[in-house]
Amino acid sequence: MVWRQQDVGLEAEEPRVASDCDKEKALSTASSIFSALNRYSKLTGLVVCGKRCDSVGIPALSSSLNLSLGRIKQSFVLTDRHLPDMPIVYASDAFLSLTGYSREEILGCNCRFLSGPDTSVDVLEEISRHICCEQACTVRLLNYRKDGSTFRDLLQVSPIRNASGKVAFHVWVHLDESAKCDFNGLTPEIWQLGAVGAVRVAVRSLSASGSLLRPAQ
Protein backbone atom coordinates (compact mmCIF):
# COMPACT_ATOMS: atom_id res chain seq x y z
CA MET A 1 0.00 0.00 0.00
CA VAL A 2 1.26 3.46 -0.88
CA TRP A 3 0.52 6.19 1.62
CA ARG A 4 0.07 9.72 0.42
CA GLN A 5 0.95 12.76 2.55
CA GLN A 6 -2.68 13.89 2.72
CA ASP A 7 -3.72 10.41 3.91
CA VAL A 8 -1.63 10.71 7.10
CA GLY A 9 -2.24 14.37 7.79
CA LEU A 10 1.12 15.65 6.59
CA GLU A 11 1.48 18.82 4.60
CA ALA A 12 4.26 19.27 2.10
CA GLU A 13 6.72 21.97 3.16
CA GLU A 14 7.92 24.57 0.74
CA PRO A 15 11.63 24.16 -0.06
CA ARG A 16 13.77 26.59 1.90
CA VAL A 17 16.74 28.40 0.42
CA ALA A 18 19.52 29.60 2.71
CA SER A 19 20.32 33.30 2.53
CA ASP A 20 23.79 34.54 1.57
CA CYS A 21 24.41 35.49 5.19
CA ASP A 22 23.44 32.00 6.39
CA LYS A 23 25.76 30.44 3.82
CA GLU A 24 28.62 32.75 4.82
CA LYS A 25 28.16 31.93 8.53
CA ALA A 26 28.06 28.19 7.81
CA LEU A 27 31.20 28.39 5.67
CA SER A 28 32.94 30.48 8.33
CA THR A 29 32.19 27.91 11.02
CA ALA A 30 33.23 24.98 8.82
CA SER A 31 36.48 26.64 7.77
CA SER A 32 37.35 27.49 11.38
CA ILE A 33 36.85 23.84 12.33
CA PHE A 34 39.01 22.60 9.44
CA SER A 35 41.69 25.14 10.31
CA ALA A 36 41.80 23.98 13.93
CA LEU A 37 41.91 20.34 12.83
CA ASN A 38 44.78 21.03 10.43
CA ARG A 39 46.78 22.72 13.22
CA TYR A 40 46.08 19.71 15.41
CA SER A 41 47.25 17.45 12.59
CA LYS A 42 50.59 19.27 12.40
CA LEU A 43 51.11 18.94 16.15
CA THR A 44 50.14 15.28 16.46
CA GLY A 45 51.06 13.84 13.08
CA LEU A 46 47.53 12.52 12.62
CA VAL A 47 46.07 13.07 9.18
CA VAL A 48 43.05 15.32 8.92
CA CYS A 49 41.39 15.69 5.55
CA GLY A 50 39.80 18.90 4.42
CA LYS A 51 38.88 20.71 1.25
CA ARG A 52 41.89 21.92 -0.67
CA CYS A 53 42.06 25.31 -2.30
CA ASP A 54 41.35 25.06 -5.99
CA SER A 55 41.93 27.84 -8.49
CA VAL A 56 40.30 25.83 -11.29
CA GLY A 57 37.23 27.71 -12.46
CA ILE A 58 38.35 30.97 -10.85
CA PRO A 59 38.15 33.75 -13.48
CA ALA A 60 41.58 35.23 -14.21
CA LEU A 61 41.99 38.95 -13.71
CA SER A 62 43.05 40.94 -16.74
CA SER A 63 46.71 41.79 -17.20
CA SER A 64 45.78 45.49 -16.88
CA LEU A 65 44.15 44.94 -13.48
CA ASN A 66 47.01 42.73 -12.31
CA LEU A 67 49.47 45.44 -13.32
CA SER A 68 47.52 48.15 -11.49
CA LEU A 69 47.16 46.05 -8.34
CA GLY A 70 50.85 45.13 -8.46
CA ARG A 71 51.79 48.78 -7.95
CA ILE A 72 50.09 48.80 -4.53
CA LYS A 73 52.71 47.99 -1.90
CA GLN A 74 50.48 47.11 1.06
CA SER A 75 49.61 43.57 2.13
CA PHE A 76 46.20 42.69 0.72
CA VAL A 77 44.09 40.14 -1.12
CA LEU A 78 41.09 40.53 -3.41
CA THR A 79 38.14 38.14 -3.10
CA ASP A 80 35.10 37.52 -5.30
CA ARG A 81 31.87 37.23 -3.31
CA HIS A 82 29.95 36.08 -6.38
CA LEU A 83 31.89 32.79 -6.48
CA PRO A 84 31.35 29.86 -4.08
CA ASP A 85 33.11 30.39 -0.72
CA MET A 86 34.32 33.87 -1.77
CA PRO A 87 37.77 32.79 -3.05
CA ILE A 88 40.92 34.87 -3.33
CA VAL A 89 41.47 36.03 -6.91
CA TYR A 90 44.51 38.23 -6.25
CA ALA A 91 47.22 38.38 -3.56
CA SER A 92 49.88 41.07 -3.26
CA ASP A 93 53.58 40.32 -2.83
CA ALA A 94 53.50 41.94 0.61
CA PHE A 95 50.72 39.56 1.69
CA LEU A 96 52.78 36.57 0.57
CA SER A 97 55.77 37.86 2.54
CA LEU A 98 53.61 38.41 5.63
CA THR A 99 52.00 34.96 5.64
CA GLY A 100 54.70 32.75 4.10
CA TYR A 101 52.38 31.26 1.47
CA SER A 102 52.98 31.22 -2.26
CA ARG A 103 50.45 32.70 -4.64
CA GLU A 104 49.68 29.24 -6.05
CA GLU A 105 48.81 27.96 -2.57
CA ILE A 106 46.18 30.57 -1.81
CA LEU A 107 44.47 31.51 -5.08
CA GLY A 108 41.02 29.92 -4.90
CA CYS A 109 41.08 29.82 -1.07
CA ASN A 110 38.81 31.67 1.31
CA CYS A 111 40.66 34.12 3.59
CA ARG A 112 39.78 32.02 6.63
CA PHE A 113 42.75 29.75 5.96
CA LEU A 114 44.71 32.23 8.11
CA SER A 115 42.60 31.44 11.17
CA GLY A 116 43.56 28.97 13.88
CA PRO A 117 42.65 27.74 17.37
CA ASP A 118 43.03 31.17 18.99
CA THR A 119 41.41 33.21 16.24
CA SER A 120 38.26 34.88 17.56
CA VAL A 121 35.11 33.35 16.10
CA ASP A 122 33.20 36.46 17.17
CA VAL A 123 35.46 38.65 15.04
CA LEU A 124 35.05 36.32 12.05
CA GLU A 125 31.29 36.56 12.44
CA GLU A 126 31.55 40.34 12.63
CA ILE A 127 33.42 40.34 9.32
CA SER A 128 30.75 38.11 7.77
CA ARG A 129 27.97 40.44 8.91
CA HIS A 130 29.65 43.46 7.34
CA ILE A 131 30.25 41.57 4.09
CA CYS A 132 26.57 40.57 3.94
CA CYS A 133 25.59 44.22 4.44
CA GLU A 134 28.17 45.40 1.89
CA GLN A 135 29.85 47.53 4.55
CA ALA A 136 33.51 48.13 5.39
CA CYS A 137 34.95 47.11 8.75
CA THR A 138 38.23 47.28 10.65
CA VAL A 139 39.00 44.55 13.17
CA ARG A 140 41.90 43.14 15.17
CA LEU A 141 42.42 39.42 15.44
CA LEU A 142 45.07 36.75 15.84
CA ASN A 143 45.99 35.07 12.56
CA TYR A 144 48.44 32.33 11.62
CA ARG A 145 51.26 32.16 9.10
CA LYS A 146 52.09 29.07 7.06
CA ASP A 147 54.77 28.02 9.57
CA GLY A 148 52.24 28.13 12.42
CA SER A 149 53.52 31.35 14.00
CA THR A 150 50.92 33.95 14.93
CA PHE A 151 50.65 37.67 14.32
CA ARG A 152 48.31 40.39 15.55
CA ASP A 153 46.44 41.37 12.42
CA LEU A 154 44.91 44.79 11.93
CA LEU A 155 42.47 43.94 9.15
CA GLN A 156 40.49 46.30 6.96
CA VAL A 157 37.79 44.64 4.80
CA SER A 158 36.00 46.82 2.24
CA PRO A 159 33.62 46.23 -0.67
CA ILE A 160 34.98 47.30 -4.05
CA ARG A 161 32.35 48.49 -6.49
CA ASN A 162 32.57 48.58 -10.26
CA ALA A 163 31.68 51.52 -12.48
CA SER A 164 27.97 50.68 -12.25
CA GLY A 165 28.03 50.75 -8.43
CA LYS A 166 27.72 47.00 -7.85
CA VAL A 167 30.10 45.15 -5.54
CA ALA A 168 32.63 43.36 -7.72
CA PHE A 169 35.19 42.32 -5.09
CA HIS A 170 36.17 42.70 -1.45
CA VAL A 171 39.65 43.85 -0.51
CA TRP A 172 41.27 42.57 2.69
CA VAL A 173 44.19 44.74 3.83
CA HIS A 174 46.36 43.03 6.47
CA LEU A 175 48.86 44.68 8.80
CA ASP A 176 51.08 42.96 11.35
CA GLU A 177 50.76 45.29 14.35
CA SER A 178 54.00 43.99 15.88
CA ALA A 179 56.07 44.91 12.82
CA LYS A 180 57.88 48.23 12.69
CA CYS A 181 56.59 50.10 9.66
CA ASP A 182 57.04 53.60 8.33
CA PHE A 183 53.59 55.03 7.62
CA ASN A 184 54.92 58.43 6.51
CA GLY A 185 53.29 60.13 9.48
CA LEU A 186 49.92 58.44 8.95
CA THR A 187 48.04 56.19 11.35
CA PRO A 188 47.97 52.47 10.42
CA GLU A 189 44.25 52.71 9.67
CA ILE A 190 44.72 55.62 7.25
CA TRP A 191 47.65 53.77 5.67
CA GLN A 192 45.35 50.81 5.01
CA LEU A 193 42.63 53.05 3.59
CA GLY A 194 45.18 54.26 1.07
CA ALA A 195 45.40 50.71 -0.28
CA VAL A 196 41.61 50.42 -0.34
CA GLY A 197 41.36 53.64 -2.32
CA ALA A 198 44.01 52.53 -4.82
CA VAL A 199 42.18 49.24 -5.42
CA ARG A 200 38.88 51.09 -5.90
CA VAL A 201 40.39 53.39 -8.49
CA ALA A 202 41.92 50.46 -10.40
CA VAL A 203 38.70 48.41 -10.42
CA ARG A 204 36.35 51.26 -11.31
CA SER A 205 38.49 52.62 -14.11
CA LEU A 206 38.99 49.23 -15.73
CA SER A 207 35.41 48.02 -15.21
CA ALA A 208 34.15 50.99 -17.21
CA SER A 209 35.99 49.60 -20.23
CA GLY A 210 35.15 45.97 -19.44
CA SER A 211 38.77 45.11 -18.65
CA LEU A 212 38.49 43.45 -15.25
CA LEU A 213 38.74 39.84 -16.37
CA ARG A 214 40.93 38.12 -18.91
CA PRO A 215 39.01 37.17 -22.07
CA ALA A 216 38.01 33.51 -22.22
CA GLN A 217 40.30 31.38 -24.36
Side-chain angles (χ1 to χ4, degrees):
M1 179 181 294
V2 178
W3 293 94
R4 298 174 300 175
Q5 289 179 315
Q6 55 267 35
D7 293 332
V8 292
L10 296 177
E11 295 182 359
E13 293 186 357
E14 293 293 329
R16 298 178 180 178
V17 179
S19 67
D20 289 340
C21 288
D22 290 335
K23 292 177 183 178
E24 183 66 25
K25 289 177 181 178
L27 289 170
S28 177
T29 301
S31 294
S32 297
I33 293 173
F34 277 127
S35 179
L37 290 174
N38 285 329
R39 305 278 176 196
Y40 175 79
S41 175
K42 292 178 181 179
L43 290 173
T44 63
L46 300 176
V47 177
V48 177
C49 294
K51 180 181 177 181
R52 294 178 178 269
C53 300
D54 188 1
S55 60
V56 176
I58 303 299
L61 302 184
S62 69
S63 57
S64 297
L65 183 55
N66 272 299
L67 184 61
S68 296
L69 297 176
R71 297 192 181 104
I72 305 171
K73 301 305 180 184
Q74 286 95 327
S75 170
F76 72 96
V77 296
L78 206 63
T79 61
D80 192 334
R81 186 187 174 188
H82 304 291
L83 297 176
D85 204 22
M86 200 172 175
I88 294 172
V89 294
Y90 180 87
S92 70
D93 291 339
F95 177 83
L96 304 178
S97 298
L98 171 63
T99 63
Y101 289 92
S102 68
R103 189 166 280 108
E104 290 73 20
E105 288 177 300
I106 63 174
L107 287 181
C109 290
N110 183 283
C111 289
R112 292 184 300 269
F113 72 92
L114 291 174
S115 65
D118 294 322
T119 302
S120 172
V121 175
D122 290 338
V123 174
L124 295 178
E125 291 179 349
E126 179 183 352
I127 295 172
S128 296
R129 287 195 299 270
H130 280 81
I131 289 174
C132 288
C133 296
E134 298 185 355
Q135 296 176 342
C137 68
T138 299
V139 298
R140 286 176 167 86
L141 74 167
L142 189 72
N143 269 334
Y144 290 74
R145 298 183 178 90
K146 181 179 179 179
D147 62 8
S149 62
T150 60
F151 64 99
R152 290 289 176 182
D153 193 359
L154 176 63
L155 174 62
Q156 161 76 223
V157 183
S158 294
I160 302 297
R161 300 180 185 276
N162 57 26
S164 64
K166 296 182 179 179
V167 175
F169 305 103
H170 278 80
V171 61
W172 306 59
V173 187
H174 299 262
L175 179 64
D176 181 1
E177 291 195 288
S178 65
K180 295 182 179 179
C181 300
D182 181 11
F183 301 118
N184 296 323
L186 303 175
T187 65
E189 292 83 359
I190 297 299
W191 176 259
Q192 288 182 307
L193 287 175
V196 174
V199 172
R200 283 176 176 162
V201 170
V203 170
R204 286 180 182 176
S205 60
L206 290 172
S207 67
S209 60
S211 303
L212 287 180
L213 301 178
R214 187 178 302 167
Q217 299 296 325

